[in-house]
Amino acid sequence: METSTRGEALLARLSADDWGLRGRLQADADMSKLTWFRVGGPADLLFQPADEDDLSLFLSRLPRDVPVTVVGVGSNLLVRDGGIAGVVIRLSARGFGSVERVCETRLKAGAAVLDKKLAAAALEAGLGGFAFYHGIPGGIGGALRMNAGANGTETTGRVVEVAALDRQGGRHLLSHADMGYTYRHSAAPDDYIFTSAVFEGVAQDRAAIQKAMDAVQHHRETVQPVKEKTGGSTFKNPDGHSAWKLVDEAGLRGFRVGGAQMSEMHCNFMINTGDATAYDLETLGEMVRRKVLENSGIRLDWEIKRIGRFAPGRDVPAGIA
Ligand SMILES: Cc1cc2nc3c(=O)[nH]c(=O)nc-3n(C[C@H](O)[C@H](O)[C@H](O)COP(=O)(O)OP(=O)(O)OC[C@H]3O[C@@H](n4cnc5c(N)ncnc54)[C@H](O)[C@@H]3O)c2cc1C
């Protein structure tokens, strides 16, 4: 007797063929291809909406008990080996990838726009304050959720308002205050999917903007393993401390579990040296948390988002409760 996969079973249950969707719905989508770490099991279903209306329609028709996870370009994600239950939403550049100037000092960007593209559009428009995005490899949706920042500037410093859809497909316009920004965090409801945002810059000479972007690029290439399979900073900086220093002081630069390693170049970056599993990477992270706590008395919190199911028998207990 033929058995169906989780994805096939969910697809059959939804019978979405007559919903009138224009985007792409795919069963058992390989998430390792959609994350920087290049690890992780399949999403039961992957939906790539054609545009905001298509996404709203999909969410309104999707039964309430089906979990929804949104991903950007996966530069801050560790997808576990057992895959992701329910539907993963990934916004396509086709429907969510444009940047437009809305007034003298403001740009509106779709949530699938890469941070680098927004920085380039700001340069073109002669708007300063966006150079930090030139060095962050994510997309705008991820930047809005993570309050991505670098070189002394964060997303919160540029955002004016954000458009989002809720789990039922309802539309919302969030003000800057509604986004509830703190360090690498937004307090906007967890189920909101950001679809676009308006950003404010300051008029600046293009040569000065280009210089700032070149400095960002040079700094990155000198201190970060940007060509590796990584998720960027593994842990948030605790108040008054640098996570990398705490990792270094605990003797964990280069520390390995299976194919996972704390980078020799920047020891708050975990890297997949080639054959790591999500289990190796998460185990490494939890061991580092425990050893740093033992060494310094300071708890590190994950900056990387870990999502999905553990593979059977491969749970990773939190190193420190
Ligand atoms: C080499 C390297 C360097 C990095 N340097 C920096 C840095 O300097 N500063 C920094 O802040 N980060 C850095 N990062 C981390 C990462 O690039 C940022 O967190 C980025 O903002 C994540 O965007 P993403 O599109 O990859 O999101 P993902 O990693 O795919 O997702 C991250 C989170 O955002 C949520 N999300 C994604 N899209 C949406 C959406 N449309 N609506 C709602 N939620 C959404 C996801 O659910 C998830 O919780 C680095 C990563 C790498 C690999």
Side-chain angles (χ1 to χ4, degrees):
M1 197 177 79
E2 273 189 26
T3 53
S4 63
T5 63
R6 284 192 175 101
E8 288 163 353
L10 183 54
L11 205 52
R13 180 189 154 203
L14 296 183
S15 23
D17 284 351
D18 60 359
W19 292 4
L21 299 173
R22 288 170 289 116
R24 182 158 180 249
L25 194 56
Q26 182 193 348
D28 305 306
D30 183 356
M31 289 303 297
S32 71
K33 295 210 172 90
L34 301 183
T35 67
W36 268 59
F37 273 126
R38 291 287 184 265
V39 299
D44 293 349
L45 290 184
L46 175 69
F47 182 55
Q48 295 177 273
D51 53 30
E52 196 177 280
D53 288 342
D54 198 39
L55 177 57
S56 176
L57 171 67
F58 177 78
L59 292 167
S60 69
R61 297 293 300 266
L62 189 70
R64 301 284 180 269
D65 64 312
V66 179
V68 171
T69 305
V70 59
V71 302
V73 298
S75 62
N76 199 57
L77 281 184
L78 179 54
V79 176
R80 295 185 173 120
D81 301 312
I84 303 177
V87 181
V88 167
I89 309 265
R90 192 171 196 259
L91 305 184
S92 59
R94 190 164 50 97
F96 302 87
S98 63
V99 184
E100 57 178 309
R101 191 170 191 168
V102 287
C103 70
E104 194 61 28
T105 54
R106 293 183 177 182
L107 297 171
K108 182 177 181 187
V113 167
L114 289 177
D115 296 0
K116 271 183 193 297
K117 181 171 167 179
L118 180 57
L123 169 66
E124 175 80 26
L127 286 178
F130 293 88
F132 73 108
Y133 278 139
H134 185 55
I136 303 180
I140 290 305
L144 292 168
R145 176 56 73 189
M146 297 302 301
N147 188 15
N151 313 90
T153 317
E154 292 180 313
T155 297
T156 182
R158 302 269 70 91
V159 170
V160 177
E161 64 183 23
V162 178
L165 295 182
D166 62 29
R167 172 61 183 79
Q168 285 75 45
R171 291 166 206 269
H172 302 267
L173 197 58
L174 293 96
S175 66
H176 177 269
D178 295 332
M179 292 299 286
Y181 278 126
T182 50
Y183 170 54
R184 297 296 176 268
H185 179 74
S186 162
D190 287 343
D191 69 338
Y192 277 23
I193 298 177
F194 307 129
T195 53
S196 67
V198 174
F199 297 85
E200 174 114 48
V202 279
Q204 198 179 10
D205 171 59
R206 284 192 184 80
I209 299 173
Q210 185 66 64
K211 198 171 163 203
M213 286 166 69
D214 290 347
V216 163
Q217 176 97 8
H218 176 71
H219 177 70
R220 291 266 154 188
E221 287 169 359
T222 322
V223 302
Q224 293 184 356
V226 289
K227 297 198 167 77
E228 301 281 358
K229 297 173 198 147
T230 179
S233 293
T234 309
F235 304 109
K236 296 181 188 181
N237 290 323
D239 274 350
H241 299 272
S242 295
W244 75 264
K245 274 193 193 149
L246 296 168
V247 174
D248 211 14
E249 283 160 14
L252 299 169
R253 185 181 287 271
F255 184 60
R256 291 182 81 120
V257 172
Q261 183 179 31
M262 299 313 290
S263 163
E264 294 277 4
M265 189 181 198
H266 188 315
C267 61
N268 190 30
F269 276 46
M270 284 198 302
I271 52 176
N272 172 1
T273 61
D275 58 354
T277 58
Y279 174 81
D280 293 339
L281 288 157
E282 191 163 359
T283 304
L284 173 65
E286 289 299 342
M287 287 178 75
V288 168
R289 291 180 73 218
R290 194 182 71 233
K291 286 171 185 281
V292 166
L293 180 64
E294 284 164 6
N295 188 61
S296 64
I298 295 169
R299 284 167 185 274
L300 291 177
D301 288 328
W302 287 88
E303 179 168 326
I304 287 172
K305 300 280 186 190
R306 294 152 299 142
I307 58 174
R309 299 175 280 240
F310 293 112
R314 304 277 274 176
D315 285 25
V316 180
I320 42 181

